[in-house]
Structures are given as structure tokens and as C-alpha cells.
């Protein structure tokens, strides 16, 4: 079948003659002119209602004529339009079916390209010391227009970025461990796009804030000690009497230490502390480390 180059339609514009248009317009104007200024009173209400009835009849007769000829005028086009719409519907249904066939084929090809990219990632990952599961497959790698070379370069670049990020995460974790900071917040900053230098600056800022808070706490605690001591009488030999309660207090020192040594050295220090009479306020479990 040869392709249809042109849809032929024989169309002759119709005409409607309306010889009484001017007379109808004049008649309507004259009738409506009579209704202007009518006032409803006990004497005129019947005449006013009669005038409205006449106007309504005239409106209906005009509308009936318009609807009659409109229907006759539209009937040929309605049949013509219905025929074309039916054919349009057939074409749309066929187009949708073809689209589904094309989409299914392209999706299958995309899945095959995804499988190929995943195999490439699995093969390359050990060379960059990264996990294949951590490498995100980008949509552009699955496009038919993307060359194998571009995919290879893209995968390599992603792995280099992931390798660098893993190394920086390890550095952040080590730095946080050193300063006893929770690493999650700073690793999240790395993953959001901050450089390691920027994250390191955030850590330094947080440490300075911690030191400032610690200094304020020390100053507050020192002021409290001075205030407490001011209300006591020093009787010597490290003894003070609370003037409010009469209790005898002893001025002592408290310090926290983190010790590291052999088992024997730690045991010796523990025995010395017990023997010296120093009170152990708190202690941690022993932890084995290797250096």
C-alpha cells in the first residue's frame, strides 16, 4: 500500500439567509421599549406581568429558530468529525502499543548495559581497594549514546573519588578518636561534599569551643571553691572548720589520670595508691593495647 500523502475533503461553506433580520431587530426593540419604566402597582401589576409573558414568548421563539438551524447546520460536521475521531482513536491505540513495544526493548537493552557496567565495576574495584557495592551506577553510563571508553573513564573516576573519600574517612575517624569526638558528624560532612581540610577546620573549631567551655567550667569551679573556703576557718594541717555548720573539712586534691604500662607496673602503682591512703573515686576496666 502506498503512503497516503493527503487526506482529501470536499468542503463547500454553507450559507444561511436571514431576510427578516432587520425587521425582527426593529420589532424586538419596539417591544422592549414599551417595557421600560414600568412600575408595579395595584393597578398596573396585571399589565406588567402580561408584558413579561410576551417578552418571554418572544425570547423562546427566537431561541427555537436559532437551535433548529444550528442543529441542521452541525449535523453534517458531527458525522464528519465522528468518522475522523474514530480513526484518530485507532491510530492512538496503535501508537501506544508500539510505544510499549519500544519501551520494553529499550528497557531490556538498558538492563543489559547495567549488567555490563556492574561486571566492569566488580572487575575494577579490587584495583582501587573499594567495595563494588559502594560504587553508584550513574544513569549516563546506561545511555546507548555513551561510549565504552566514557563508561570506563567514568567508573575509574568514581572509584578514585570513593578511594579518596574512604582514606579521608579513616583520617577523620583517627583524628576524632584522638580527641574523643564522635566521628559520625564529620564523616557526614565529608559525604556531603566538604573537603578533608574543611572538615579538619570544623573539628578544630569544635575543639576550641570545648576548651572554652572547659575553661569557663574551671573558672566557675575555682570561684565556688574560693567562696566555700571564705566561709571556713583554716586551723592548719589541711583542716578547716565550716563556720555555718561547725563541721571539720579537709582540703584535698582530685585529679584524673590515664596510665599506660605493663601489668606489673600498673599493679605496683595500684598497691602504692592503696597503701598511701589516697581515695580512688572512680576507675575504668583495664584495656590491653599494643604499641
Amino acid at each position: 500500500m502506498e503512503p497516503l500523502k493527503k487526506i482529501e475533503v470536499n468542503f463547500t461553506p454553507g450559507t444561511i439567509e436571514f431576510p427578516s433580520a432587520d425587521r425582527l431587530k426593529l420589532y424586538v426593540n419596539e417591544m422592549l421599549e414599551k417595557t421600560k419604566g414600568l412600575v408595579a402597582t395595584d393597578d398596573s401589576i396585571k399589565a406588567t406581568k402580561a408584558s413579561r409573558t410576551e417578552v418571554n414568548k418572544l425570547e423562546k421563539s427566537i431561541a427555537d429558530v436559532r437551535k433548529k438551524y444550528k442543529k441542521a447546520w452541525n449535523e453534517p460536521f458531527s458525522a464528519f468529525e465522528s468518522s475522523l475521531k474514530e480513526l484518530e482513536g485507532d491510530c492512538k491505540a496503535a501508537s501506544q502499543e508500539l510505544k510499549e513495544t519500544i519501551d520494553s526493548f529499550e528497557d531490556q537493552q538498558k538492563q543489559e548495559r547495567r549488567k555490563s557496567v556492574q561486571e566492569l565495576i566488580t572487575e575494577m574495584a579490587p584495583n582501587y581497594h573499594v567495595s563494588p557495592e559502594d560504587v553508584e551506577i550513574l544513569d549516563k553510563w546506561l545511555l546507548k549514546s555513551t561510549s565504552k571508553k566514557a563508561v570506563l573513564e567514568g567508573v575509574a573516576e568514581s572509584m578514585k573519588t570513593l578511594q579518596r573519600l574512604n582514606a579521608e574517612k579513616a583520617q577523620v575517624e583517627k583524628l576524632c578518636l584522638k580527641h574523643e569526638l564522635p566521628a559520625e558528624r564529620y564523616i557526614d560532612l565529608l559525604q556531603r561534599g566538604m573537603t578533608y581540610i574543611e572538615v579538619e577546620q570544623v573539628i578544630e573549631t569544635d575543639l576550641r569551643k570545648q576548651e572554652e567551655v572547659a575553661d569557663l567550667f574551671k573558672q566557675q569551679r575555682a570561684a565556688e571553691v574560693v567562696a566555700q573556703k571564705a566561709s571556713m576557718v583554716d586551723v592548719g594541717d589541711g583542716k578547716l572548720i565550716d563556720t555555718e555548720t561547725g563541721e571539720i573539712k579537709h582540703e584535698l586534691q582530685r585529679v584524673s589520670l590515664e596510665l599506660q604500662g605493663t601489668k606489673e607496673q600498673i599493679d605496683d602503682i595500684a598497691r602504692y595508691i592503696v597503701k598511701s591512703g589516697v581515695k580512688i573515686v572512680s576507675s575504668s576496666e583495664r584495656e590491653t593495647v599494643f604499641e
Side-chain angles (χ1 to χ4, degrees):
M1 179 184 294
E2 295 183 1
L4 187 63
K5 298 180 180 179
K6 181 180 178 182
I7 300 176
E8 295 183 0
V9 176
N10 294 326
F11 172 63
T12 303
T15 58
I16 295 181
E17 295 182 0
F18 191 9
S20 63
D22 292 338
R23 282 180 293 153
L24 177 62
K25 185 175 181 180
L26 180 62
Y27 177 75
V28 170
N29 289 339
E30 287 178 354
M31 176 172 282
L32 297 183
E33 189 67 30
K34 294 177 182 179
T35 65
K36 290 182 180 180
L38 290 178
V39 179
T41 65
D42 289 339
D43 296 332
S44 65
I45 187 63
K46 289 184 178 181
T48 302
K49 287 182 178 182
S51 295
R52 181 172 182 270
T53 300
E54 289 298 319
V55 170
N56 288 344
K57 286 181 180 180
L58 179 59
E59 177 194 6
K60 183 178 182 305
S61 63
I62 294 172
D64 288 345
V65 172
R66 173 181 59 79
K67 292 175 183 178
K68 173 183 176 182
Y69 288 99
K70 179 181 179 181
K71 181 180 179 182
W73 181 275
N74 286 342
E75 278 180 357
F77 179 77
S78 295
F80 170 74
E81 183 181 43
S82 177
S83 176
L84 291 182
K85 279 189 173 181
E86 182 178 352
L87 296 175
E88 287 174 29
D90 292 342
C91 291
K92 281 185 178 180
S95 175
Q96 180 62 30
E97 186 175 341
L98 290 171
K99 180 180 183 301
E100 291 172 0
T101 301
I102 293 168
D103 289 347
S104 176
F105 174 74
E106 290 183 345
D107 184 64
Q108 181 181 351
Q109 284 194 320
K110 189 174 182 180
Q111 292 304 319
E112 290 175 358
R113 288 194 291 270
R114 178 182 291 276
K115 181 180 178 182
S116 176
V117 172
Q118 186 61 62
E119 290 173 352
L120 179 64
I121 290 173
T122 302
E123 180 183 352
M124 293 174 61
N127 300 327
Y128 292 89
H129 307 288
V130 298
S131 172
E133 291 76 17
D134 293 335
V135 181
E136 180 186 359
I137 296 179
L138 303 183
D139 288 340
K140 64 181 179 180
W141 297 347
L142 304 179
L143 296 176
K144 188 176 181 180
S145 58
T146 305
S147 66
K148 292 183 178 180
K149 180 183 177 183
V151 173
L152 180 63
E153 291 174 348
V155 171
E157 187 61 33
S158 288
M159 289 188 177
K160 288 177 184 177
T161 301
L162 186 59
Q163 187 181 42
R164 175 183 55 78
L165 181 60
N166 289 341
E168 291 178 349
K169 283 168 64 177
Q171 287 179 287
V172 168
E173 289 173 347
K174 184 177 180 180
L175 187 59
C176 288
L177 182 63
K178 177 182 176 181
H179 295 291
E180 298 182 348
L181 291 172
E184 290 79 8
R185 154 173 154 77
Y186 306 104
I187 289 175
D188 182 61
L189 293 178
L190 270 180
Q191 292 173 332
R192 287 174 180 269
M194 270 195 181
T195 65
Y196 174 76
I197 299 299
E198 291 171 332
V199 173
E200 193 176 34
Q201 290 172 348
V202 173
I203 292 174
E204 291 175 357
T205 300
D206 289 350
L207 287 173
R208 281 196 299 271
K209 289 179 180 178
Q210 281 189 355
E211 290 175 0
E212 291 171 0
V213 171
D215 287 342
L216 288 173
F217 179 78
K218 287 179 182 178
Q219 294 172 14
Q220 182 179 356
R221 181 59 185 154
E224 291 174 355
V225 169
V226 170
Q228 282 182 308
K229 196 168 183 178
S231 64
M232 297 180 183
V233 176
D234 190 342
V235 296
D237 198 20
K239 295 180 181 180
L240 302 98
I241 298 177
D242 190 324
T243 57
E244 293 183 2
T245 64
E247 291 181 284
I248 297 177
K249 302 287 186 179
H250 298 84
E251 185 172 348
L252 305 174
Q253 298 287 313
R254 177 180 293 181
V255 64
S256 297
L257 299 174
E258 184 174 342
L259 305 176
Q260 183 170 305
T262 65
K263 181 180 182 303
E264 291 75 16
Q265 289 172 328
I266 299 298
D267 288 343
D268 289 342
I269 292 174
R271 282 192 288 268
Y272 175 78
I273 291 173
V274 172
K275 185 177 179 180
S276 67
V278 174
K279 181 181 179 182
I280 299 176
V281 178
S282 65
S283 65
S284 65
E285 295 290 334
R286 292 197 188 189
E287 179 184 357
T288 301
V289 296
F290 298 94
E291 286 192 356

